Amino acid sequence: MAVCDQGYLCEVCGQEVDDLVDSDLYLRYVLGEVEPDLLHKVAERHLRCNPSRAQFIVAEGFEPVAVEGPFDKAELDPEFVSAEETRVTRGYLRLCELMGQEGVSLLDYPLPEVRERWRAAAQGEAPR
């Protein structure tokens, strides 16, 4: 297979990231942590190859990820953990939703509040 025919390779394990729902890069994009113009420049990982983020996904069908040490969510502030579980799980569920759709613009992938924030910033509006 030619390099141009390959998908994104995981910077941790070196294997191809086959599906959108396995992509840490696209999860970060959907959450607004990666700007659209940087998407092709940022390193990719499988969600499970980034356990410090994956541990916050609490969704049916997603096997929980455990982290040992100081970044284990059990060691973090409970309010932070709750907010992060809500945020990251919403992003993951958005990826799941996108898997079943065709013709969705890449600019429409992020969560609604992220799209609104980017739109406001592009128009020079103050953040809400």
Side-chain angles (χ1 to χ4, degrees), residues 45-111:
R45 286 175 238 143
H46 292 100
L47 283 174
R48 294 191 176 281
C49 288
N50 186 7
S52 61
R53 178 181 316 278
Q55 71 179 332
F56 293 107
I57 299 171
V58 182
E60 187 175 326
F62 187 86
E63 186 177 331
V65 174
V67 173
E68 293 183 22
F71 295 107
D72 179 345
K73 68 182 183 179
E75 301 294 323
L76 302 174
D77 175 70
E79 286 183 32
F80 171 79
V81 170
S82 178
E84 206 51 8
E85 285 178 344
T86 299
R87 185 181 79 89
V88 176
T89 299
R90 278 188 68 225
Y92 175 76
L93 293 175
R94 176 67 178 146
L95 292 179
C96 293
E97 177 185 309
L98 290 166
M99 284 289 293
Q101 297 180 0
E102 291 185 27
V104 178
S105 166
L106 189 62
L107 296 175
D108 291 329
Y109 279 28
L111 294 170

Side-chain angles (χ1 to χ4, degrees), residues 115-127:
R115 292 192 311 263
E116 174 58 26
R117 186 176 74 232
W118 288 347
R119 184 204 60 76
Q123 295 180 350
E125 297 174 13

Side-chain angles (χ1 to χ4, degrees), residues 3-55:
V3 173
C4 62
D5 290 336
Q6 282 187 326
Y8 291 100
L9 298 180
C10 176
E11 72 174 350
V12 176
C13 72
Q15 298 297 310
E16 190 168 342
V17 178
D18 293 322
D19 292 318
L20 197 59
V21 294
D22 295 327
S23 173
D24 181 67
L25 173 60
Y26 277 88
L27 177 60
R28 290 181 288 150
Y29 176 65
V30 163
L31 293 172
E33 297 173 6
V34 175
E35 299 283 332
D37 57 335
L38 297 177
L39 195 56
H40 67 289
K41 295 181 180 182
V42 177
E44 173 65 294
R45 286 175 238 143
H46 292 100
L47 283 174
R48 294 191 176 281
C49 288
N50 186 7
S52 61
R53 178 181 316 278
Q55 71 179 332

